[in-house]
Amino acid sequence: MNDELSNPDIPVPDELQSTVTITSLDKIYNWGRRSSIWPMVFGLACCAIEMICTAASRFDIARFGMEVFRATPRQADLMIVSGTVTKKMVPQIVRLFNQMPEPKYVMAMGACASGGGPFKEGYNVVSGIDKFVPVDVYVPGCPPTPQALLHGLMKLQEKIDGQSLKSVRWYGQEASEAVPVPVLGPDLLDPRQHALLAQQAGQMPVNVDIEKDL
Amino acid sequence: MYGIGIIKGMGVTIKHLIDSFVDDMRFLGRRYYSDESLNIRQGTEGRGVFTVQYPDEKLPVPEQFRFIPFLLYETDDDGNKTDRCTSCGICAKVCPPQCIWIERSSDPETGRPIPAPTNFFIDIDICMNCGYCAEYCPFDAIKMDHDYELASYDRTEAHIFDKERLDKPVEYYASIRPNDYLVEENARAEEAAKKAAKKEAAAAKKAAKLAAKQASEQAAAD
């Protein structure tokens, strides 16, 4: 039987070692979940090329049970945000995230998805997807190599291993709240309004709402 | 006849399948989980399965592979660490995504700047691994690393590398980039030799001048 599943706290008699294994419900539940994380078919930029490479035979994501890239959020467990998130794309990404059933995980792959990367102060790029959806694992790199991505996926598996049926949010009493979908609005800076903005800057609250910020 | 192409194509697939078993026999027990066997499977001799069994075996990275910079420090005989970095800020200036933040230090008594950073931050979630910092550094103090296993659950703390996290010994650099290290060391030795020669020449010139002056004085006295 699988060694990682057996529970060392409860001893099994020697004569039954080969036939009986004792495990906890949490362990078997997490083992099942983490060995079949289905990502969503979801590529945004150059990181997606590395993700495709990871899925191909040289690195073979199927060894982790993740080869089933699903083309619908309803069947996906993991959203790999692979690449630059433009402001025009954010509403769609958040909507896809909301459409995924629990348990769901988000991985920010590469510099752009994690923190904006070289476009962090760009007029059209969001500086990090973590401002819009909860991110579980950040994978640095520009782009991360397939092995770095696999390392990130293993980190995600570790995270899943640490979860417990008692505390996971999708079995809680309250229904999970949908993440608010940001609205694509006017740009941050309209050159025609420079004077007005400079005038208003003194009265602005410190924490600007993200949705308005867009 | 129709379908010959399909049969040929399937033949290729079958050949790969059979090859993978033949290869298993050929390298019985030595086929996976060692650098040597990985090289064979990835090389021209490789047949059948060529998947890199990632956590157990890793594809060797080329010497020029770039991933997140690190700072070099030198350790003297007493075990004191001295950073090569002088906090000149050239790397922070050339960095295209502006992910480097340097805190300069100054002498607490006189207030004059000291050529060493108090702290050095790199936001690795911004860094685009271009290697400009390493390219432009005049002191060879910042270099690109080979370690790509940096994924974590937290961005704001784990992914902002400070000086402590960035500091790595020169020996580590020599181990990951032996050729670059040799070239740089040779260049440095050459530079030092040139400097010494120049100094010697200047000293010789000075001596000659002095001798000539003495000789002329002697002649005048005579």
Side-chain angles (χ1 to χ4, degrees), chain B residues 22-176:
Chain B
V22 171
D23 232 33
D24 265 350
M25 293 298 197
R26 232 175 77 204
F27 299 97
L28 201 67
R30 291 178 290 115
R31 186 139 187 267
Y32 301 102
Y33 312 134
S34 78
D35 289 346
E36 200 186 336
S37 61
L38 181 68
N39 278 338
I40 292 170
R41 274 189 294 132
Q42 297 294 321
T44 47
E45 293 284 297
R47 293 189 300 157
V49 179
F50 61 93
T51 304
V52 182
Q53 311 284 335
Y54 163 63
D56 301 312
E57 52 184 28
K58 290 168 190 171
L59 208 60
V61 288
E63 192 182 324
Q64 295 299 330
F65 179 71
R66 306 190 302 261
F67 214 87
I68 313 295
F70 65 98
L71 289 175
L72 272 70
Y73 68 79
E74 280 174 72
T75 321
D76 61 11
D77 300 333
D78 303 333
N80 295 324
K81 293 172 184 173
T82 28
D83 273 299
R84 279 187 180 179
C85 179
T86 60
S87 72
C88 65
I90 290 175
C91 51
K93 272 205 190 84
V94 297
C95 178
Q98 295 283 300
C99 69
I100 299 175
W101 181 260
I102 304 170
E103 276 175 14
R104 295 193 166 92
S105 54
S106 55
D107 197 310
E109 281 170 24
T110 56
R112 284 166 179 245
I114 296 171
T118 336
N119 218 331
F120 198 105
F121 297 100
I122 293 180
D123 188 340
I124 63 163
D125 274 340
I126 302 289
C127 175
M128 62 185 220
N129 310 332
C130 61
Y132 277 17
C133 48
E135 203 83 20
Y136 279 92
C137 182
F139 305 101
D140 293 327
I142 188 165
K143 291 289 170 196
M144 299 305 280
D145 208 344
H146 279 183
D147 180 21
Y148 49 80
E149 291 168 328
L150 300 167
S152 79
Y153 309 131
D154 172 59
R155 156 156 167 69
T156 46
E157 293 196 359
H159 277 189
I160 314 278
F161 281 13
D162 59 357
K163 189 158 154 280
E164 204 175 311
R165 178 76 208 266
L166 289 167
D167 263 344
K168 282 181 182 174
V170 175
E171 290 75 33
Y172 171 76
Y173 173 60
S175 69
I176 61 166

Side-chain angles (χ1 to χ4, degrees), chain A residues 189-210:
Chain A
L189 272 180
D190 185 352
R192 287 167 299 182
Q193 295 179 337
H194 269 178
L196 188 68
L197 285 172
Q199 193 194 340
Q200 283 176 347
Q203 307 152 11
M204 286 257 280
V206 181
N207 290 315
V208 185
D209 196 353
I210 298 161

Side-chain angles (χ1 to χ4, degrees), chain A residues 109-135:
Chain A
M109 180 188 179
C112 297
S114 310
F119 315 111
K120 68 178 191 294
E121 280 155 5
Y123 68 97
N124 59 343
V125 172
V126 167
S127 54
I129 190 66
D130 54 349
K131 294 187 177 65
F132 299 92
V133 292
V135 174

